[in-house]
Amino acid sequence: METISYIENNIQLGIKYDWDLIFRAYKALHCPDDVYNPVPALRSMIENNTKWYIGMSKRRIGKTTNFLLIGALLFWHYGTRTYYIRQRDDMIAPKNAGKLFDTINANGYIEKITDGLYNGVKYNAKQWFFVKRNEHGDIIDENPVPFCVMQSIQSAEDVKSVLNDPFGDWIIYDEFIGSSVYPNEFVDFFNLISTIKRLRQSAIINLLANTIDMYHIYFKEFCIADNVQKMRAGEKAIITTEMGTKVFVERIEQPAAAKRQDEIDKVLYYGFPNPKLGAITGDEWAVGCFQHIPDGDTHMIYQKLYIKYSNKLVRLDIVSHETLGLCVYAHWATYTYDDSIILTADERTDPRYKFKTGRGRLDQLLRRLFNENRVYYATNDVGMFIESYFGYIRKIRMY
């Protein structure tokens, strides 16, 4: 354990970390060169006093494992605890989370980190502990202090008054782009961060995703949606919000060693012309090819309908095509009118707003036209935007 000093000599503000020490210790673990190395991003964050990290990539490049390794190093040198966050309680149940440290165990990293004092971990009641096992796998020694604690956003309110951890400075929200989104989830997430962090200025919060949805609602909430939508694989940026908060955002590119192996894998297994495989193959955003607005004469039926989502606006024109019949033409838009109808999943602060797809005849008509594939898009990114919106509103559910 290192000698601990505090920010401005005030224990309430948190530990003043020697990050170079942590980075050297991470390098000494000799992680393979085909997995993600978090050190360059973290170094840039420290230099720029940035506390938020958002990283997105395809699967199988070791993001979660290596962020957990940084957490284990912080615990060994400073007593800092990792808080591993998932969306729901069932995601941190033993049947789903019990293998979280399997890769770390298999590669002997705990033994390297602790200079042989411990050689593995064990899980108990949403907490992880360093342990020493003999050749038969029996635990012969155990650190009584957990180095990692698991929490869910679903239970944020339950722990608000009971959780008080002065060591919870390394926070990982894994799979933040998930299969569902809850009403007010972003605020619940921030309430949980506040409960863990308290007044400390030493905490770093990391959001990791293995799925790439450029229109995901979290990007809007972090005020980085426009930036993220322009990012390509390998690009990174520190984005400062209007209120001065800095967010490090990274579209993680595969390490060169992994890319060579994946090129072989792609040919053997994924060589199909479907752009939506991008999140698996490591190509650009997982976008699809959508049917474009066809040629031919049309008669405008209705052009006051919009979708507002993730800081962007699309107009849905209901038209009658000379041969295709009733259709929807979808275009990017920049403004609405006093008599517009605006579909949204945001707060309804305007009487023009209708939640999700509205109700009654409008809802029925849209459902029919979408179900019958009678929707045509000005561009593929309009199609991706609408697909993301409908995916999002389908995911909205109560805890």
Side-chain angles (χ1 to χ4, degrees):
M1 181 92 55
E2 305 301 318
T3 301
I4 295 178
S5 58
Y6 298 95
I7 297 171
E8 297 179 10
N9 295 317
N10 184 345
I11 192 171
Q12 289 190 333
L13 297 182
I15 295 171
K16 186 187 293 183
Y17 293 103
D18 180 352
W19 282 99
D20 285 333
L21 169 71
I22 299 300
F23 298 155
R24 289 195 300 271
Y26 176 84
K27 184 178 181 180
L29 295 178
H30 299 293
C31 295
D33 60 3
D34 61 350
V35 298
Y36 174 69
N37 179 1
V39 169
L42 291 172
R43 192 182 297 281
S44 179
M45 290 175 63
I46 302 308
E47 291 172 353
N48 290 279
N49 196 27
T50 303
K51 304 298 184 180
W52 288 95
Y53 172 89
I54 297 178
M56 304 154 286
S57 76
K58 63 170 290 182
R59 296 181 180 276
R60 297 182 291 116
I61 68 166
K63 291 190 308 299
T64 299
T65 293
N66 287 353
F67 274 86
L68 289 170
L69 281 177
I70 294 288
L73 289 165
L74 286 167
F75 175 78
W76 188 246
H77 289 278
Y78 290 98
T80 297
R81 199 136 29 244
T82 295
Y83 273 78
Y84 179 83
I85 298 173
R86 295 295 302 271
Q87 184 192 56
R88 302 192 310 270
D89 288 341
D90 64 291
M91 294 175 172
I92 56 174
K95 65 178 181 179
N96 293 322
K99 297 183 181 298
L100 184 62
F101 284 88
D102 277 6
T103 299
I104 289 175
N105 267 333
N107 287 278
Y109 288 130
I110 300 303
E111 190 166 16
K112 294 177 182 178
I113 290 170
T114 64
D115 295 323
L117 189 60
Y118 302 103
N119 59 10
V121 302
K122 82 163 192 177
Y123 175 71
N124 182 42
K126 299 180 183 178
Q127 297 179 323
W128 293 90
F129 301 83
F130 286 166
V131 297
K132 179 81 169 184
R133 288 188 169 89
N134 62 20
E135 63 273 16
H136 305 294
D138 302 319
I139 295 175
I140 57 175
D141 192 15
E142 176 182 334
N143 190 318
V145 180
F147 73 95
C148 178
V149 175
M150 302 209 289
Q151 292 287 347
S152 74
I153 298 175
Q154 183 179 2
S155 298
E157 191 65 28
D158 297 336
V159 301
K160 196 170 184 179
S161 60
V162 297
L163 177 58
N164 185 8
D165 188 345
F167 302 102
D169 274 353
W170 187 248
I171 302 170
I172 300 170
Y173 180 13
D174 204 11
E175 301 277 12
F176 79 93
I177 300 178
S179 61
S180 61
V181 180
Y182 298 106
N184 219 35
E185 179 184 313
F186 188 77
V187 175
D188 290 343
F189 170 55
F190 267 66
N191 282 332
L192 180 57
I193 295 301
S194 177
T195 298
I196 297 170
K197 186 186 77 65
R198 300 294 177 173
L199 298 177
R200 298 191 307 280
Q201 299 176 8
S202 49
I204 291 181
I205 306 103
N206 308 283
L207 285 81
L208 310 178
N210 291 327
T211 302
I212 299 171
D213 175 359
M214 70 175 79
Y215 299 110
H216 192 268
I217 194 66
Y218 266 58
F219 299 139
K220 174 193 171 185
E221 299 282 14
F222 272 105
C223 305
I224 60 174
D226 289 343
N227 303 80
V228 168
Q229 289 155 17
K230 297 173 185 175
M231 295 181 77
R232 300 174 68 86
E235 292 186 348
K236 59 192 74 175
I238 294 177
I239 302 166
T240 304
T241 70
E242 290 184 1
M243 298 180 68
T245 300
K246 297 177 181 179
V247 183
F248 187 101
V249 185
E250 184 172 20
R251 278 283 318 276
I252 300 170
E253 189 172 29
Q254 277 187 295
K259 189 177 291 187
R260 288 192 295 271
Q261 182 58 45
D262 268 17
E263 287 300 321
I264 299 173
D265 198 45
K266 188 187 299 185
V267 172
L268 289 175
Y269 297 102
Y270 305 115
F272 306 103
N274 187 337
K276 293 185 179 183
L277 296 177
I280 299 172
T281 61
D283 296 327
E284 292 304 317
W285 295 107
V287 298
C289 293
F290 296 84
Q291 56 187 9
H292 284 42
I293 293 173
D295 295 329
D297 292 335
T298 58
H299 172 67
M300 183 65 67
I301 305 294
Y302 192 79
Q303 59 178 153
K304 299 178 181 179
L305 183 61
Y306 296 81
I307 293 176
K308 184 177 182 292
Y309 171 64
S310 193
N311 282 346
K312 289 191 176 294
L313 198 66
V314 158
R315 193 179 79 220
L316 303 178
D317 292 340
I318 299 176
V319 303
S320 177
H321 188 273
E322 60 179 346
T323 58
L324 297 172
L326 203 62
C327 303
V328 173
Y329 287 180
H331 315 256
W332 289 119
T334 55
Y335 51 86
T336 59
Y337 300 90
D338 291 341
D339 59 351
S340 298
I341 293 177
I342 305 168
L343 307 179
T344 187
D346 295 339
E347 294 181 3
R348 295 185 61 214
T349 57
D350 187 314
R352 299 175 301 164
Y353 288 3
K354 307 299 179 186
F355 188 56
K356 293 188 176 181
T357 56
R359 301 183 64 183
R361 291 182 178 179
L362 175 62
D363 176 61
Q364 293 172 12
L365 176 61
L366 284 178
R367 286 180 183 274
R368 179 167 71 85
L369 293 175
F370 273 89
N371 287 338
E372 294 177 1
N373 200 27
R374 292 175 174 267
V375 183
Y376 298 85
Y377 306 90
T379 58
N380 281 338
D381 58 347
V382 174
M384 187 61 192
F385 169 88
I386 292 178
E387 185 176 84
S388 181
Y389 175 74
F390 277 92
Y392 174 63
I393 64 175
R394 283 194 298 268
K395 294 173 185 176
I396 294 176
R397 62 180 185 178
M398 300 306 293
Y399 281 120

